[in-house]
Amino acid sequence: MRSMLVKMVLGCSLSLVFFFPNIALSSSGETTGTDRVIVEITDKEGNKETKSIPVDEVQPKSTFRISSSMRDQINILQPDYIRTIDMAQTTDKYTKSWSVNRVGTEWMKSKIASNDEEVIVAVIDTGIDYTHSFLRERMIDGYDFVDNDSDPMDEHFHGTHVAGIIVESTTANIKIMPIRALNHSGNGYDSNIAKGIHFAVDNGASIVNMSFQGNEYSEHLAQAIDYALSKNVLVVVSSGNLSDDTANYYPASEEKILVVSATDQTDQIASFSNTGHSIDISAPGVSVVSSVPGEKYAALHGTSMAAPYVSGVAAMLMLEAPTSSIKEIEKTLKTYVDDKGVTNWDPLYGEGILNVSNYKKYSLISSAVSASDYINLPEHSNVPLDKKWTILFNQVFSDDSTIAVKLYTENYEIPIKLTPNLANKKIMVAPIENYQANTDYLLEIQVKNGDKYLMRFTTK
């Protein structure tokens, strides 16, 4: 009778146990930096589901190793790491931030043609106070992946501040999608952030702004970012606030996305800003005034404040060029910068500090290229910054005034140096100063009483 009872109890136990591979635990019994793991559950029909569960549910002290042919199998993918934001002060009164003028968004907004199109920026953060009078006209439906409901109200303040920067920096047809993936303490699991990315992409967002960081690389989060990029959704992230190398943080170390460092009122890199090889561009991140919950405003510091300036400008570029790829938008963004630090790209400022104060809807390049009375020559890309052009002719000219040559970029004519060699039927053309990196140029050639030519080229 006793032997029979043992078999029955053991049989019941086996029917409740799944197969769990080992996972490394710290001395406290938790995975490093988190108390949850991301697992893939496969049922007996072969259907797979990815979930986040507490680590103590997948590795009890004693685990039976049994066949999973008749039961669900759980495969541990990775720890469910936690991303976080930093804290800052608040103030009750709204005043226009210095950073708006530094970035030049008021000028850009004045040059954006009004139309019926909309661009959606998803703010994956602590949620947003969508009732705030500064924001509510710009809000669209979002989601709360912390509480798993459709009410992404901000129980912190960070996400509301980030959203306010985008709202102030953009025209009325840039909409904000609030996605709550970080809790009231400013911390959030990768699993919820990844869900937020998928939700944003699947519900029409063109840009995802993520102003948070974590120490560990996350394959799960990287796959979600790849999903966004595959759908032509731009991902903008802050570099982090620990005066460290972005290589030590994620997603700041991800080179496939736009990573933003922070500058101060003197155009210096903020003392707290992370920098490194992944930095693409910089923007103001010190004493930036924006909205916080409860009809209040705050002057906050952080690379979290720099990233939404880039997201906002990118959204307006998309409004103007809705068929552009995210690579084209990124390239255009990097032309509207003030180059600081060493010439061209550097690991502090990236390509430079974002500045769209010279933005105009119709550039000389655009209008010239569309002219029907010009002959368009083949375009060139990856042109060296010190390139000299040689213009060859099929006849000898006695007077170099017969040939008129001009060089343009965006809305400006660039000073050039011409070196005629008319006896050999050619003219050498070079700018007085080197070209800017990642910039479109137009070379215009007019022959007196003859043809007119245009050649477009882009620098490295």
PDB file of all heavy atoms in Angstrom, residues 351-370:
ATOM      1  N   GLU A 351      27.944  64.114 -35.792  1.00  0.00           N
ATOM      2  CA  GLU A 351      28.128  65.021 -36.930  1.00  0.00           C
ATOM      3  C   GLU A 351      28.054  66.487 -36.506  1.00  0.00           C
ATOM      4  O   GLU A 351      28.459  67.377 -37.252  1.00  0.00           O
ATOM      5  CB  GLU A 351      27.073  64.764 -38.003  1.00  0.00           C
ATOM      6  CG  GLU A 351      27.151  63.381 -38.636  1.00  0.00           C
ATOM      7  CD  GLU A 351      28.405  63.167 -39.461  1.00  0.00           C
ATOM      8  OE1 GLU A 351      29.068  64.164 -39.814  1.00  0.00           O
ATOM      9  OE2 GLU A 351      28.732  61.994 -39.739  1.00  0.00           O
ATOM     10  N   GLY A 352      27.529  66.769 -35.306  1.00  0.00           N
ATOM     11  CA  GLY A 352      27.442  68.141 -34.835  1.00  0.00           C
ATOM     12  C   GLY A 352      26.164  68.379 -34.046  1.00  0.00           C
ATOM     13  O   GLY A 352      25.370  67.458 -33.811  1.00  0.00           O
ATOM     14  N   ILE A 353      25.953  69.636 -33.620  1.00  0.00           N
ATOM     15  CA  ILE A 353      24.754  70.013 -32.866  1.00  0.00           C
ATOM     16  C   ILE A 353      23.626  70.316 -33.838  1.00  0.00           C
ATOM     17  O   ILE A 353      23.780  71.124 -34.766  1.00  0.00           O
ATOM     18  CB  ILE A 353      25.028  71.247 -31.988  1.00  0.00           C
ATOM     19  CG1 ILE A 353      26.184  70.981 -31.016  1.00  0.00           C
ATOM     20  CG2 ILE A 353      23.772  71.632 -31.207  1.00  0.00           C
ATOM     21  CD1 ILE A 353      26.586  72.195 -30.213  1.00  0.00           C
ATOM     22  N   LEU A 354      22.493  69.694 -33.626  1.00  0.00           N
ATOM     23  CA  LEU A 354      21.326  69.896 -34.494  1.00  0.00           C
ATOM     24  C   LEU A 354      20.962  71.378 -34.568  1.00  0.00           C
ATOM     25  O   LEU A 354      20.829  72.052 -33.548  1.00  0.00           O
ATOM     26  CB  LEU A 354      20.143  69.104 -33.942  1.00  0.00           C
ATOM     27  CG  LEU A 354      18.825  69.200 -34.718  1.00  0.00           C
ATOM     28  CD1 LEU A 354      18.969  68.562 -36.094  1.00  0.00           C
ATOM     29  CD2 LEU A 354      17.714  68.502 -33.931  1.00  0.00           C
ATOM     30  N   ASN A 355      20.796  71.885 -35.795  1.00  0.00           N
ATOM     31  CA  ASN A 355      20.433  73.289 -35.991  1.00  0.00           C
ATOM     32  C   ASN A 355      19.708  73.441 -37.328  1.00  0.00           C
ATOM     33  O   ASN A 355      20.315  73.356 -38.381  1.00  0.00           O
ATOM     34  CB  ASN A 355      21.680  74.180 -35.978  1.00  0.00           C
ATOM     35  CG  ASN A 355      21.339  75.656 -36.108  1.00  0.00           C
ATOM     36  OD1 ASN A 355      20.167  76.035 -36.119  1.00  0.00           O
ATOM     37  ND2 ASN A 355      22.354  76.491 -36.206  1.00  0.00           N
ATOM     38  N   VAL A 356      18.404  73.660 -37.259  1.00  0.00           N
ATOM     39  CA  VAL A 356      17.600  73.811 -38.476  1.00  0.00           C
ATOM     40  C   VAL A 356      17.174  75.263 -38.689  1.00  0.00           C
ATOM     41  O   VAL A 356      16.197  75.540 -39.367  1.00  0.00           O
ATOM     42  CB  VAL A 356      16.361  72.890 -38.439  1.00  0.00           C
ATOM     43  CG1 VAL A 356      16.760  71.446 -38.583  1.00  0.00           C
ATOM     44  CG2 VAL A 356      15.549  73.111 -37.163  1.00  0.00           C
ATOM     45  N   SER A 357      17.936  76.195 -38.129  1.00  0.00           N
ATOM     46  CA  SER A 357      17.581  77.608 -38.274  1.00  0.00           C
ATOM     47  C   SER A 357      17.739  78.109 -39.701  1.00  0.00           C
ATOM     48  O   SER A 357      17.223  79.175 -40.041  1.00  0.00           O
ATOM     49  CB  SER A 357      18.420  78.469 -37.329  1.00  0.00           C
ATOM     50  OG  SER A 357      19.803  78.342 -37.623  1.00  0.00           O
ATOM     51  N   ASN A 358      18.446  77.354 -40.539  1.00  0.00           N
ATOM     52  CA  ASN A 358      18.577  77.741 -41.953  1.00  0.00           C
ATOM     53  C   ASN A 358      17.724  76.871 -42.868  1.00  0.00           C
ATOM     54  O   ASN A 358      17.905  76.858 -44.090  1.00  0.00           O
ATOM     55  CB  ASN A 358      20.042  77.676 -42.387  1.00  0.00           C
ATOM     56  CG  ASN A 358      20.595  76.261 -42.365  1.00  0.00           C
ATOM     57  OD1 ASN A 358      19.990  75.359 -41.794  1.00  0.00           O
ATOM     58  ND2 ASN A 358      21.756  76.069 -42.966  1.00  0.00           N
ATOM     59  N   TYR A 359      16.769  76.149 -42.265  1.00  0.00           N
ATOM     60  CA  TYR A 359      15.933  75.266 -43.071  1.00  0.00           C
ATOM     61  C   TYR A 359      14.970  76.071 -43.940  1.00  0.00           C
ATOM     62  O   TYR A 359      14.328  77.012 -43.483  1.00  0.00           O
ATOM     63  CB  TYR A 359      15.117  74.328 -42.185  1.00  0.00           C
ATOM     64  CG  TYR A 359      14.251  73.380 -42.978  1.00  0.00           C
ATOM     65  CD1 TYR A 359      14.762  72.199 -43.464  1.00  0.00           C
ATOM     66  CD2 TYR A 359      12.931  73.700 -43.262  1.00  0.00           C
ATOM     67  CE1 TYR A 359      13.985  71.332 -44.201  1.00  0.00           C
ATOM     68  CE2 TYR A 359      12.139  72.836 -44.004  1.00  0.00           C
ATOM     69  CZ  TYR A 359      12.671  71.662 -44.475  1.00  0.00           C
ATOM     70  OH  TYR A 359      11.898  70.815 -45.219  1.00  0.00           O
ATOM     71  N   LYS A 360      14.875  75.675 -45.208  1.00  0.00           N
ATOM     72  CA  LYS A 360      13.885  76.267 -46.114  1.00  0.00           C
ATOM     73  C   LYS A 360      13.269  75.157 -46.936  1.00  0.00           C
ATOM     74  O   LYS A 360      13.944  74.205 -47.331  1.00  0.00           O
ATOM     75  CB  LYS A 360      14.503  77.312 -47.033  1.00  0.00           C
ATOM     76  CG  LYS A 360      14.877  78.600 -46.309  1.00  0.00           C
ATOM     77  CD  LYS A 360      15.330  79.669 -47.284  1.00  0.00           C
ATOM     78  CE  LYS A 360      15.645  80.976 -46.570  1.00  0.00           C
ATOM     79  NZ  LYS A 360      16.114  82.020 -47.517  1.00  0.00           N
ATOM     80  N   LYS A 361      12.017  75.294 -47.189  1.00  0.00           N
ATOM     81  CA  LYS A 361      11.279  74.254 -47.901  1.00  0.00           C
ATOM     82  C   LYS A 361      11.810  74.037 -49.312  1.00  0.00           C
ATOM     83  O   LYS A 361      11.973  72.934 -49.773  1.00  0.00           O
ATOM     84  CB  LYS A 361       9.796  74.589 -47.936  1.00  0.00           C
ATOM     85  CG  LYS A 361       8.947  73.514 -48.583  1.00  0.00           C
ATOM     86  CD  LYS A 361       7.489  73.841 -48.439  1.00  0.00           C
ATOM     87  CE  LYS A 361       6.627  72.704 -48.993  1.00  0.00           C
ATOM     88  NZ  LYS A 361       6.725  72.568 -50.424  1.00  0.00           N
ATOM     89  N   TYR A 362      12.069  75.128 -50.015  1.00  0.00           N
ATOM     90  CA  TYR A 362      12.519  75.014 -51.405  1.00  0.00           C
ATOM     91  C   TYR A 362      13.964  75.459 -51.494  1.00  0.00           C
ATOM     92  O   TYR A 362      14.278  76.623 -51.348  1.00  0.00           O
ATOM     93  CB  TYR A 362      11.647  75.878 -52.319  1.00  0.00           C
ATOM     94  CG  TYR A 362      10.206  75.478 -52.299  1.00  0.00           C
ATOM     95  CD1 TYR A 362       9.258  76.247 -51.636  1.00  0.00           C
ATOM     96  CD2 TYR A 362       9.785  74.309 -52.911  1.00  0.00           C
ATOM     97  CE1 TYR A 362       7.932  75.878 -51.589  1.00  0.00           C
ATOM     98  CE2 TYR A 362       8.451  73.925 -52.878  1.00  0.00           C
ATOM     99  CZ  TYR A 362       7.535  74.710 -52.218  1.00  0.00           C
ATOM    100  OH  TYR A 362       6.223  74.330 -52.180  1.00  0.00           O
ATOM    101  N   SER A 363      14.846  74.540 -51.719  1.00  0.00           N
ATOM    102  CA  SER A 363      16.261  74.879 -51.832  1.00  0.00           C
ATOM    103  C   SER A 363      16.614  75.216 -53.268  1.00  0.00           C
ATOM    104  O   SER A 363      15.898  74.896 -54.207  1.00  0.00           O
ATOM    105  CB  SER A 363      17.120  73.707 -51.354  1.00  0.00           C
ATOM    106  OG  SER A 363      17.044  72.644 -52.278  1.00  0.00           O
ATOM    107  N   LEU A 364      17.759  75.880 -53.437  1.00  0.00           N
ATOM    108  CA  LEU A 364      18.252  76.182 -54.775  1.00  0.00           C
ATOM    109  C   LEU A 364      18.513  74.889 -55.545  1.00  0.00           C
ATOM    110  O   LEU A 364      18.298  74.813 -56.745  1.00  0.00           O
ATOM    111  CB  LEU A 364      19.542  77.007 -54.682  1.00  0.00           C
ATOM    112  CG  LEU A 364      19.381  78.429 -54.143  1.00  0.00           C
ATOM    113  CD1 LEU A 364      20.744  79.057 -53.904  1.00  0.00           C
ATOM    114  CD2 LEU A 364      18.574  79.288 -55.110  1.00  0.00           C
ATOM    115  N   ILE A 365      18.961  73.876 -54.829  1.00  0.00           N
ATOM    116  CA  ILE A 365      19.237  72.603 -55.487  1.00  0.00           C
ATOM    117  C   ILE A 365      17.956  72.015 -56.060  1.00  0.00           C
ATOM    118  O   ILE A 365      17.887  71.606 -57.220  1.00  0.00           O
ATOM    119  CB  ILE A 365      19.893  71.620 -54.504  1.00  0.00           C
ATOM    120  CG1 ILE A 365      21.308  72.089 -54.171  1.00  0.00           C
ATOM    121  CG2 ILE A 365      19.930  70.213 -55.085  1.00  0.00           C
ATOM    122  CD1 ILE A 365      22.018  71.212 -53.187  1.00  0.00           C
ATOM    123  N   SER A 366      16.904  71.969 -55.249  1.00  0.00           N
ATOM    124  CA  SER A 366      15.643  71.373 -55.700  1.00  0.00           C
ATOM    125  C   SER A 366      15.071  72.103 -56.895  1.00  0.00           C
ATOM    126  O   SER A 366      14.640  71.496 -57.873  1.00  0.00           O
ATOM    127  CB  SER A 366      14.630  71.379 -54.547  1.00  0.00           C
ATOM    128  OG  SER A 366      15.101  70.606 -53.480  1.00  0.00           O
ATOM    129  N   SER A 367      15.065  73.434 -56.832  1.00  0.00           N
ATOM    130  CA  SER A 367      14.477  74.202 -57.926  1.00  0.00           C
ATOM    131  C   SER A 367      15.317  74.130 -59.185  1.00  0.00           C
ATOM    132  O   SER A 367      14.793  74.080 -60.295  1.00  0.00           O
ATOM    133  CB  SER A 367      14.290  75.665 -57.499  1.00  0.00           C
ATOM    134  OG  SER A 367      15.534  76.239 -57.130  1.00  0.00           O
ATOM    135  N   ALA A 368      16.641  74.077 -59.022  1.00  0.00           N
ATOM    136  CA  ALA A 368      17.506  74.027 -60.201  1.00  0.00           C
ATOM    137  C   ALA A 368      17.428  72.686 -60.909  1.00  0.00           C
ATOM    138  O   ALA A 368      17.367  72.609 -62.136  1.00  0.00           O
ATOM    139  CB  ALA A 368      18.954  74.317 -59.797  1.00  0.00           C
ATOM    140  N   VAL A 369      17.421  71.610 -60.115  1.00  0.00           N
ATOM    141  CA  VAL A 369      17.388  70.274 -60.714  1.00  0.00           C
ATOM    142  C   VAL A 369      16.106  70.057 -61.511  1.00  0.00           C
ATOM    143  O   VAL A 369      16.080  69.334 -62.503  1.00  0.00           O
ATOM    144  CB  VAL A 369      17.553  69.203 -59.620  1.00  0.00           C
ATOM    145  CG1 VAL A 369      17.238  67.819 -60.149  1.00  0.00           C
ATOM    146  CG2 VAL A 369      18.971  69.235 -59.065  1.00  0.00           C
ATOM    147  N   SER A 370      15.028  70.702 -61.074  1.00  0.00           N
ATOM    148  CA  SER A 370      13.758  70.512 -61.766  1.00  0.00           C
ATOM    149  C   SER A 370      13.611  71.388 -63.006  1.00  0.00           C
ATOM    150  O   SER A 370      12.624  71.285 -63.722  1.00  0.00           O
ATOM    151  CB  SER A 370      12.601  70.813 -60.798  1.00  0.00           C
ATOM    152  OG  SER A 370      12.648  72.170 -60.386  1.00  0.00           O
TER     153      SER A 370
END
